[in-house]
Amino acid sequence: MLGESDPALSHLALIGQSLFGQEVYTNLRKQGHKVVGVFTVPDKDGKADPLAVAAEKDGTPVFKFPRWRVKGKPISEVVDTYKAVGAELNVLPFCSQFIPMNVIDHPKHGSIIYHPSLLPKHRGASAINWTLIEGDKKAGFSIFWADDGLDTGPILLQKECAVEPSDTVDTLYNRFLFPEGINSMVEAVQLIADGKAPRIPQPEEGASYEGIQKKSNAKVNMAQPAEVIHNWIRGHDKVPGAWAVLDGQPVTLYGSSLLSSPVPAGQPLEVEGASQPGLITSSGLVLFGSDGKALQVKSLQFEDGKMIPAAKYFSSGDTTSIELTEEEKKMAEEIRVIWKGILSNVPVIEDTTDFFKSGAASMDVVRLIEEIKPKCADVQLQNEDVYMATSFHDFIQMFVRRLRGEDQEEELVINYVSATKDINNMTLKMPYQCFINGKFEDAENGKTYDTVNPTDGSVICKVSFASVADVDRAVAAAKEAFETGPWGKMNPRDRGRLLYKLADLMEEHQEELATIEAIDSGAVYTLALKTHVGMSIQTFRYFAGWCDKIQGTTIPINQARPNRNLTFTKKEPLGVCAIVIPWNYPLMMLAWKSAACLAAGNTLVLKPAQVTPLTALKFAELTVKAGIPKGVINIIPGSGGLVGQRLSDHPDIRKLGFTGSTPIGKQIMKSCAVSNLKKVSLELGGKSPLIIFSDCDMDKAVRMGMSSVFFNKGENCIAAGRLFVEESIHDEFIARVVEEIKKMKIGDPLDRSTDHGPQNHKAHLDKLVEYCDIGVKEGATLVYGGKQVDRPGYFMEPTVFTDVEDHMFIAKEESFGPVMVVSRFKDGDVDGVLSRANDTEFGLASGVFTRDINKAMYVSERLEAGTVFVNTYNKTDVAAPFGGFKQSGFGKDLGEEALHEYLRTKAVTVEY
């Protein structure tokens, strides 16, 4: 409600109609403004306009004039009735009638009108349509002072939004123009009440006026770029409908989207005026612009009014009629009565009666659906269902099939009962069962275990504890999917399209995924959103683009005359791959390995870390929505000793990718060798050195040095396990680090202001406390931290040790936590510090900070690590290969090199 200092207008007249008008009316009253009269359209088919319904309910005077003027002249009785209410301001939220100027100018404050464009552009009645048709990058609305021109009055206020590539008239209206328009109409009235409403003259520069489009001039010009065609189609969707001539007949096109992924295979279709034939694919009709780029159309409507999914163009007449049961016949007769009520001009509703040819309009479609809904709540109809089954017979056939569930794909059944939480402003639904062959199911032995929220130690839910038998079933499913399923036969571009779709779904559900990462692994939500989930999405998009670019080579060989020879190589998928991932980045580690594995054409069985299974299982749900065939991806939660060991031993697995500790990596490598000599890639432990020279940028070195240790609570495989700081800047560096640590906020990872969340699980926290105790006992100086934070949950203080000598335990062993281990080195002793930095069996990552480029290159060449960061840290990218040296493992994740980990090379020699 208005505050005491906010004046309200006491004499408003609302002139208009629709739900938009109703909402403006309701919100004006909520803000304390008094509406003295509502002027709207007459009832239609016995139904009052929504604005009239709301006003009559409140007791506000309502006037329903069919028109305000005749032959261009105002109707005096209508104008006199209007003047009698004594309005001080006319508000026109949406009005389809022509209002005379002696009504517009009559009130003390005049009249304000809502228009859905950024005036002066797109004056006229089809402004939203033309915003899309012309490919505007910005949409918006204007509230202006009415005058005697065509949308030319002075501007009171304007608001704008970006136009998304997938926007339609409906999405623009529902997302921005409707809700923000309502708020802004109320805001405009308040500005007038406050005496602060501007009158900004409209410039003529950039002005345009477009009339209402007709069907006759809505034909698509196919000799244009794909984006222009897309804009034309979506700008005419649904009225009047853009059309083209397909295979010799006019067809209206609905549901356009630009194709960003490779064009899938399909059946050619002649398109008049196009540079090349269209393609009917499993997803719709693909059209090509003059620039060679593509767009996709979802639905088609023929001249007889029948609408079909574009994907069914060549099979639309193949459906066989089904016999109805007695109960279904009764339902059909009830629906026939509803049709008769709507089509009152039709004497009898025959099976051949066409809904639209009998005079039905778009509002009748809504009415039909709403009247059927109470009769059968089990069937959820959409407007498009009516357009796609226009005769009574076809409509009943569609309805009964929907009732029986025959036209639905087999739905993924997920039991969320024990894994649903209202948290982080959302209802989080988490799968918790094994995911095998496209289905979620309990472990064969029925065993479960608790997965715990490290923020407070509470149980999130129980998760299936897989057995050896579950692993065997998953491997069998993956093998069948590879050898006989559609995945192995799929065109690489189609495979890439599915991975692009999966990435899009991950992006659509990114807040859910990030929330699960936060509660299951302790990741700070903002970091989870950007890195854990954000980089996972990028990884799938990157490798989706590689699917159709995996190539062999031709090789010149010595020819044994007189024969001629051709030798070429082929890159082939390996088959069933196993992936075992750690708990520090549950989703990102899944993405790093799975995306390359799938892009190469393999199938997989993945074991998430026992303590963080939930994002992997949510990911499995999204793979089904993306259309990944069953058996291609299988997720098996459980213990490493049971599930991981069986994957290492299984004779049908041809490759195992592992990220985790070095001791476990050695055991896996041994088992893979003994079983069937599996291909192996290992990303193992690290003790990454970071060398900070005195000529560094100190501000950056402090900031990045802290990030190198404390990023993701130190649970980071490439974390700087040991910092070497040149003696002359050592004390200043430590002092500044401690000063910054004191500013860090430790707390709930879902709190957007938190810098440092809980460690992943209790056992790990205990190891970190023990690690710090050893450091103190060996004589290192504990400058800060070293203890568990005194609060519920598994929180560890950010910790700093100095005076760390090379023989000490903390100088040699990885903490995998927020523990900065600092040693000093003598000024100028470059080779000496290099020797100390390389004196480790690990070689995952390293870093150097210096302004001297020669020194930086000298050091980077001599550091024995798979990644060297210079004047930065933690800067990984999906296109850059990632992996270690020495006992940090072998093989690469990310980049083109990662694909080769999941491919085999076959050489073929042909004599001809």
Side-chain angles (χ1 to χ4, degrees):
M1 294 294 291
L2 291 164
E4 291 181 6
S5 60
D6 299 321
L9 290 176
S10 59
H11 289 78
L12 295 179
L14 247 75
I15 305 174
Q17 65 214 68
S18 78
L19 184 61
F20 184 77
Q22 179 196 68
E23 290 294 318
V24 171
Y25 163 81
T26 301
N27 281 274
L28 283 171
R29 281 174 49 85
K30 282 182 181 178
Q31 292 298 315
H33 302 289
K34 184 177 179 181
V35 179
V36 294
V38 166
F39 299 85
T40 187
V41 294
D43 297 353
K44 184 177 181 181
D45 296 328
K47 290 185 177 181
D49 183 83
L51 174 57
V53 172
E56 287 170 344
K57 183 178 179 181
D58 293 333
T60 301
V62 176
F63 306 91
K64 301 177 182 180
F65 300 136
R67 63 189 62 85
W68 290 72
R69 63 178 192 167
V70 175
K71 296 181 179 180
K73 294 184 178 180
I75 302 172
S76 57
E77 295 86 351
V78 172
V79 174
D80 290 343
T81 301
Y82 158 77
K83 290 181 177 179
V85 302
E88 296 179 347
L89 173 70
N90 291 332
V91 178
L92 287 76
F94 171 73
C95 183
S96 61
Q97 297 175 314
F98 191 94
I99 310 301
M101 287 309 299
N102 58 342
V103 172
I104 293 293
D105 293 336
H106 178 74
K108 170 184 173 183
H109 296 294
S111 301
I112 60 171
I113 304 178
Y114 172 90
H115 184 79
S117 82
L118 296 170
L119 293 172
K121 197 170 185 182
H122 304 313
R123 295 167 176 163
S126 298
I128 312 176
N129 305 73
W130 283 99
T131 297
L132 296 174
I133 291 170
E134 295 202 347
D136 294 356
K137 300 302 180 186
K138 291 181 179 179
F141 57 81
S142 307
I143 297 172
F144 67 98
W145 299 93
D147 66 358
D148 58 356
L150 293 170
D151 303 330
T152 57
I155 302 295
L156 194 160
L157 64 80
Q158 289 182 318
K159 292 191 179 176
E160 65 180 40
C161 69
V163 177
E164 302 296 335
S166 58
D167 267 331
T168 63
V169 172
D170 286 346
T171 62
L172 260 182
Y173 186 71
N174 294 330
R175 171 167 59 86
F176 184 80
L177 300 175
F178 181 85
E180 290 301 321
I182 293 164
N183 295 336
S184 294
M185 285 297 285
V186 177
E187 180 184 346
V189 171
Q190 190 58 52
L191 286 171
I192 295 169
D194 294 340
K196 298 178 181 178
R199 292 176 180 262
I200 304 168
Q202 289 190 37
E204 281 308 305
E205 183 180 353
S208 64
Y209 178 87
E210 298 96 3
I212 298 174
Q213 281 292 89
K214 297 179 180 178
K215 192 75 174 183
S216 57
N217 58 11
K219 184 179 180 181
V220 182
N221 176 5
M222 290 292 176
Q224 300 181 96
E227 187 173 358
V228 176
I229 297 172
H230 164 65
N231 288 335
W232 183 265
I233 295 171
R234 66 175 174 157
H236 288 82
D237 193 338
K238 297 279 196 289
V239 178
W243 59 279
V245 178
L246 307 182
D247 205 19
Q249 61 176 328
V251 178
T252 306
L253 314 174
Y254 296 110
S256 174
S257 60
L258 290 170
L259 269 184
S260 57
S261 55
V263 176
Q267 189 170 347
L269 176 66
E270 181 186 346
V271 181
E272 184 182 282
S275 58
Q276 58 182 298
L279 289 174
I280 296 295
T281 74
S282 59
S283 301
L285 167 62
V286 175
L287 299 172
F288 297 91
S290 59
D291 55 355
K293 295 182 179 179
L295 61 141
Q296 183 171 272
V297 172
K298 182 182 176 184
S299 303
L300 306 174
Q301 188 173 35
F302 299 99
E303 284 191 291
D304 63 2
K306 183 178 181 181
M307 182 181 276
I308 64 166
K312 294 184 178 180
Y313 180 85
F314 289 115
S315 58
S316 59
D318 296 345
T319 304
T320 303
S321 293
I322 55 174
E323 288 291 329
L324 272 58
T325 66
E326 290 303 316
E327 195 64 35
E328 288 165 349
K329 288 178 181 177
K330 289 180 183 178
M331 178 67 72
E333 290 309 309
E334 291 183 28
I335 293 175
R336 194 186 299 270
V337 172
I338 294 173
W339 273 53
K340 182 67 179 75
I342 297 171
L343 305 176
S344 55
N345 56 314
V346 178
V348 179
I349 303 297
E350 306 282 358
D351 282 359
T352 55
T353 300
D354 187 280
F355 194 68
F356 296 102
K357 288 182 178 179
S358 299
S362 57
M363 282 302 296
D364 297 310
V365 173
V366 177
R367 178 180 168 185
L368 176 61
I369 291 172
E370 290 302 312
E371 289 193 28
I372 289 175
K373 193 181 293 182
K375 306 258 181 209
C376 188
D378 293 336
V379 178
Q380 299 296 317
L381 295 178
Q382 305 295 326
N383 290 4
E384 281 190 0
D385 294 325
V386 184
Y387 289 110
M388 291 184 182
T390 59
S391 74
F392 184 76
H393 171 269
D394 289 349
F395 184 85
I396 292 300
Q397 290 282 310
M398 175 275 296
F399 182 86
V400 172
R401 281 193 169 92
R402 190 70 57 83
L403 185 64
R404 295 178 182 179
E406 291 180 4
D407 64 342
Q408 304 291 317
E409 292 184 10
E410 184 178 354
E411 286 190 8
L412 177 66
V413 178
I414 308 175
N415 183 356
Y416 294 121
V417 173
S418 63
T420 299
K421 288 189 177 296
D422 290 321
I423 192 169
N424 201 23
N425 299 316
M426 67 181 75
T427 299
L428 202 58
K429 295 182 176 181
M430 298 167 285
Y432 60 89
Q433 298 164 295
C434 300
F435 181 73
I436 300 173
N437 205 25
K439 296 179 180 179
F440 285 103
E441 51 195 41
D442 292 333
E444 190 172 81
N445 57 18
K447 288 186 177 180
T448 62
Y449 70 96
D450 294 339
T451 187
V452 174
N453 185 342
T455 303
D456 57 12
S458 63
V459 173
I460 302 170
C461 64
K462 290 187 177 297
V463 177
S464 292
F465 192 81
S467 65
V468 168
D470 296 311
V471 176
D472 290 347
R473 286 191 300 117
V475 173
K479 185 179 181 184
E480 182 180 0
F482 180 78
E483 293 178 350
T484 64
W487 188 253
K489 304 180 183 72
M490 192 176 290
N491 181 297
R493 290 186 181 178
D494 288 343
R495 189 164 66 241
R497 179 176 55 81
L498 291 179
L499 295 184
Y500 275 120
K501 188 173 181 181
L502 178 57
D504 290 344
L505 281 165
M506 292 170 70
E507 187 169 57
E508 184 180 329
H509 293 267
Q510 60 184 329
E511 289 85 1
E512 295 169 63
L513 291 167
T515 302
I516 297 172
E517 290 276 283
I519 66 172
D520 204 24
S521 76
V524 172
Y525 176 79
T526 49
L527 177 67
L529 201 59
K530 178 179 183 295
T531 301
H532 290 232
V533 179
M535 193 174 188
S536 300
I537 295 165
Q538 292 175 28
T539 303
F540 272 96
R541 287 196 173 128
Y542 174 82
F543 283 108
W546 267 109
C547 288
D548 63 347
K549 301 172 186 67
I550 299 169
Q551 302 176 24
T553 56
T554 57
I555 303 171
I557 64 170
N558 290 333
Q559 299 185 14
R561 294 180 180 179
N563 299 319
R564 297 170 64 84
N565 298 277
L566 169 67
T567 296
F568 62 92
T569 62
K570 293 176 65 181
K571 295 288 187 180
E572 298 179 342
L574 300 171
V576 181
C577 297
I579 294 174
V580 180
I581 57 173
W583 43 257
N584 56 326
Y585 295 105
L587 185 64
M588 195 169 78
M589 292 297 98
L590 175 153
W592 281 22
K593 286 178 162 51
S594 298
C597 175
L598 295 168
N602 301 286
T603 58
L604 65 87
V605 179
L606 181 140
K607 191 198 91 66
Q610 184 173 343
V611 292
T612 54
L614 295 180
T615 37
L617 294 170
K618 189 68 177 179
F619 168 83
E621 178 186 340
L622 298 181
T623 67
V624 177
K625 293 182 178 180
I628 305 290
K630 67 178 184 178
V632 173
I633 296 171
N634 304 271
I635 311 289
I636 308 295
S639 73
L642 199 66
V643 175
Q645 187 61 51
R646 180 55 181 161
L647 291 172
S648 302
D649 294 337
H650 203 291
D652 289 333
I653 291 175
R654 294 299 170 187
K655 159 70 194 279
L656 192 148
F658 172 76
T659 297
S661 72
T662 297
I664 299 299
K666 290 179 178 179
Q667 179 61 43
I668 285 175
M669 190 173 179
K670 181 179 178 181
S671 298
C672 289
V674 170
S675 57
N676 63 339
L677 213 61
K678 294 176 182 66
K679 188 175 183 179
V680 179
S681 57
L682 304 172
E683 196 256 276
L684 307 176
K687 188 65 176 175
S688 301
L690 173 58
I691 305 171
I692 301 175
F693 289 100
S694 58
D695 61 351
C696 69
D697 177 337
M698 179 62 85
D699 290 338
K700 190 173 186 181
V702 169
R703 185 175 70 254
M704 300 304 293
M706 290 184 64
S707 176
S708 75
V709 176
F710 302 126
F711 187 84
N712 200 46
K713 317 107 75 192
E715 294 168 353
N716 187 18
C717 51
I718 57 172
R722 192 175 180 192
L723 277 66
F724 295 92
V725 181
E726 200 159 8
E727 193 160 30
S728 58
I729 62 167
H730 175 275
D731 292 348
E732 180 188 356
F733 178 86
I734 296 299
R736 291 183 60 173
V737 165
V738 171
E739 182 183 353
E740 292 302 315
I741 288 175
K742 290 177 180 178
K743 299 175 186 177
M744 291 171 65
K745 179 180 177 180
I746 302 172
D748 184 349
L750 292 175
D751 184 336
R752 301 324 191 248
S753 64
T754 294
D755 299 305
H756 187 80
Q759 304 309 135
N760 188 277
H761 52 280
K762 180 66 164 59
H764 182 52
L765 173 66
D766 293 341
K767 283 184 179 179
L768 288 173
V769 173
E770 182 184 4
Y771 184 92
C772 293
D773 289 342
I774 293 172
V776 172
K777 289 175 183 176
E778 286 192 329
T781 302
L782 178 62
V783 177
Y784 193 88
K787 301 187 298 296
Q788 180 178 353
V789 179
D790 185 19
R791 59 171 290 159
Y794 311 144
F795 292 82
M796 180 73 186
E797 293 178 336
T799 299
V800 178
F801 279 102
T802 60
D803 303 317
V804 178
E805 297 176 12
D806 295 352
H807 68 274
M808 291 180 179
F809 176 85
I810 63 173
K812 294 179 176 294
E813 296 298 325
E814 182 181 29
S815 73
F816 212 63
V819 183
M820 182 179 283
V821 176
V822 184
S823 300
R824 65 181 77 212
F825 67 95
K826 292 180 180 179
D827 290 351
D829 188 11
V830 176
D831 289 327
V833 75
L834 271 170
S835 177
R836 295 171 69 190
N838 287 329
D839 185 21
T840 173
E841 274 300 303
F842 301 108
L844 189 56
S846 58
V848 55
F849 277 79
T850 175
R851 284 192 173 97
D852 185 341
I853 188 62
N854 292 320
K855 188 190 296 181
M857 295 306 296
Y858 180 91
V859 171
S860 65
E861 287 172 6
R862 287 160 178 77
L863 282 168
E864 297 170 0
T867 297
V868 181
F869 298 108
V870 178
N871 293 327
T872 187
Y873 211 90
N874 287 324
K875 190 163 284 185
T876 53
D877 187 89
V878 294
F882 181 93
F885 297 165
K886 300 188 284 188
Q887 291 197 45
S888 287
F890 51 83
K892 297 294 182 183
D893 291 327
L894 303 180
E896 182 181 356
E897 285 196 40
L899 284 169
H900 301 306
E901 300 294 335
Y902 296 93
L903 293 166
R904 63 187 183 190
T905 302
K906 178 183 286 183
V908 180
T909 298
V910 181
E911 185 178 284
Y912 62 100

